[in-house]
Amino acid sequence: MAEVSFPLSLPSADTHWMTLHREGPLFVLHLHHKDNRFTTDFCKAILSALQIIEDIFNASDDPVDMALVTFGNGKIYSNGLDLMHAVSYPPFMDTYLLMLRRMLTFCIPTVAALNGHAFAGGCLLALAHDYRVMRSDRGYMCMNEVDLPSALAPGMAGLLRVKMTPQTFRDVVVQGRRFGGQEALDNQLVDIICPEKEVLDKAKELALKWAPKAKSGIVYKQLKEEMYTDAVRQLSIPFNRLAPKM
């Protein structure tokens, strides 16, 4: 495979929306394009980062420690979908759902460092990671579709369903409940809460703790595909089949 130099600007040096760093066994993807709303090209840039990491993982001659951390900018992890883009460009949804599926079943351990708000589509991306570290003093996890109003694609609902208890699932979907750091921890939506200045460091510590599990090779991905088999199947449904029902 071609040599990759880090830090890497994505999707390009001229259109620099995110930066992929490598720190020993850790890959760190910093999302820093305004409030990190998802468009087709933004999702494709994340998919490109995942492909680069997976190619490096697969190119290793021997099993290696490896993990991925993602984090946002300022008070925002991600504010979710760019709704104008999503409405005006129907193929967007297939790219977004693919991104969620790839993250959910990624070949190495993944940690979302929630530096701030993770709303709607941003909340889903955070939940698609294996682990989450959230700031304790500010920021919410929230699915606000009930207030928009907007339907949830089966894959979105399926992802939520496998990542939380039935009661929390109810509160998230039909109440649009916002979870601050302590509430998110109490409801098992996140694994660690801490002050803002510690979020990224704590996420890296957690990633390093579980990075050795990547030594299981393709089995790590296969285990997650089996754990989340219903959500994976639902995330694979082409959106054009769903649109008339939503």
Side-chain angles (χ1 to χ4, degrees), residues 5-21 28-53 68-73 77-78 99 103 125:
S5 297
F6 297 97
L8 179 64
S9 300
L10 294 167
S12 68
D14 294 330
T15 308
H16 188 189
W17 294 341
M18 59 194 72
T19 307
L20 181 61
H21 303 264
V28 180
L29 181 61
H30 180 197
L31 310 175
H32 49 72
H33 180 53
K34 300 179 182 177
D35 56 353
N36 292 326
R37 287 189 181 269
F38 298 112
T39 62
T40 302
D41 289 340
F42 194 83
C43 292
K44 285 182 177 179
I46 293 176
L47 286 166
S48 293
L50 296 180
Q51 190 62 57
I52 289 167
I53 297 167
L68 167 65
V69 174
T70 68
F71 72 107
N73 221 35
Y77 177 74
S78 170
M99 179 192 69
M103 187 65 77
L125 177 61

Side-chain angles (χ1 to χ4, degrees), residues 51-88:
Q51 190 62 57
I52 289 167
I53 297 167
E54 187 169 41
D55 287 346
I56 292 172
F57 175 73
N58 289 330
S60 301
D61 293 331
D62 299 307
V64 293
D65 293 6
M66 196 174 288
L68 167 65
V69 174
T70 68
F71 72 107
N73 221 35
K75 64 180 182 179
I76 302 292
Y77 177 74
S78 170
N79 256 343
L81 276 58
D82 181 324
L83 293 178
M84 292 297 293
H85 176 78
V87 170
S88 64

Side-chain angles (χ1 to χ4, degrees), residues 87-153:
V87 170
S88 64
Y89 187 65
F92 157 77
M93 283 301 301
D94 287 329
T95 305
Y96 174 72
L97 295 173
L98 171 61
M99 179 192 69
L100 293 180
R101 188 172 80 245
R102 287 276 281 142
M103 187 65 77
L104 182 65
T105 61
F106 200 49
C107 57
I108 61 175
T110 56
V111 181
L114 303 182
N115 54 287
H117 300 306
F119 282 160
C123 182
L124 287 166
L125 177 61
L127 290 169
H129 290 65
D130 297 330
Y131 307 97
R132 283 153 295 285
V133 176
M134 185 176 183
R135 63 184 288 186
S136 55
D137 57 316
R138 184 175 182 178
Y140 294 101
M141 295 181 72
C142 175
M143 297 294 297
N144 61 347
E145 278 72 12
V146 70
D147 297 315
L148 289 176
S150 175
L152 284 172

